[in-house]
Amino acid sequence: MEIKVLGPGCAKCKQTEKIVKEAVAEAGISADIEKVTDVMAIAGYGVFGTPAVVVDGEVKSVGKIPKKQDVMAWLK
Amino acid sequence: MSENCCTTNGNVMILACSGGSNVGQLSNRAAVELTQEGFGKMFCLAGIGAQLSGFVQSAKDAPVMVAIDGCQVGCAKAILKNARVDRMHYLVLTDEGIEKNKNLELERSDIARVKAAVKRVVGEAKSAEAAYSGGGCGCSCGS
């Protein structure tokens, strides 16, 4: 599984990355988690704002810190 | 695409049908000018229509969104319905008293009228929401 956290580095982006890492650890799965900070790379996903979370190429959340339970659901 | 954490919270997502008539192009022009004036941010309706996940999810997660259709055919509304986006403010320009035609030379007065209508629709909703919340962008920036 490949997870990308899109965000230039604001507090909400860092919190989102933390929640994603916690969810992956709790789910006990293997996933590559990448933080994407490059603005042009982020723009390539067509998101209106950040933070955003992409799981296996599909954007799951935009402009907010996701709940851990939501992230867990995306990992199933 | 925003560059900081608070952009989406304070920003109104503006979607215009941008169709091939005066009212379609009025929706587009108003969206452009409202973006330039800082009222909100125009977003790509075509991306939502193409079912691209970044665009669809952005529309679903937008705190405030307004869709502008030129006429009762309602293409923008239909695109959003197909994408299962149902939380939006909405206006149809022919309902605002602008007659649909094929003249693509837009009148300045019509553009102003559409912009005022968009602000009215969003403003009415924001006023209602403000009565139930404490305001602020909701993140850690303090704004």
Side-chain angles (χ1 to χ4, degrees), chain B residues 15-21 23-25 27-29 31 42 45 68-70:
Chain B
L15 296 169
C17 81
S18 305
S21 66
V23 285
Q25 287 307 300
S27 75
N28 187 73
R29 191 66 222 161
M42 190 178 185
L45 185 66
I68 313 167
D69 262 320

Side-chain angles (χ1 to χ4, degrees), chain B residues 25-112:
Chain B
Q25 287 307 300
L26 277 169
S27 75
N28 187 73
R29 191 66 222 161
V32 169
E33 293 191 11
L34 287 167
T35 300
Q36 291 169 336
E37 293 164 9
F39 175 79
K41 195 157 75 168
M42 190 178 185
F43 196 58
C44 186
L45 185 66
I48 301 170
Q51 300 278 330
L52 302 178
S53 68
F55 293 89
V56 172
Q57 196 61 46
S58 292
K60 287 180 176 173
D61 288 344
V64 183
M65 186 241 281
V66 59
I68 313 167
D69 262 320
C71 68
Q72 282 290 350
V73 176
C75 300
K77 190 175 188 179
I79 285 170
L80 292 168
K81 185 181 175 188
N82 287 341
R84 296 190 172 85
V85 179
D86 51 13
R87 194 173 45 83
M88 62 174 162
H89 308 303
Y90 180 65
L91 76 162
V92 180
L93 301 191
T94 50
D95 289 349
E96 298 292 325
I98 302 172
E99 192 175 339
K100 182 178 180 179
N101 61 48
K102 287 292 180 182
N103 180 7
L104 300 180
E105 296 295 325
L106 306 178
E107 296 288 339
R108 194 66 241 168
S109 59
D110 283 340
I111 297 169

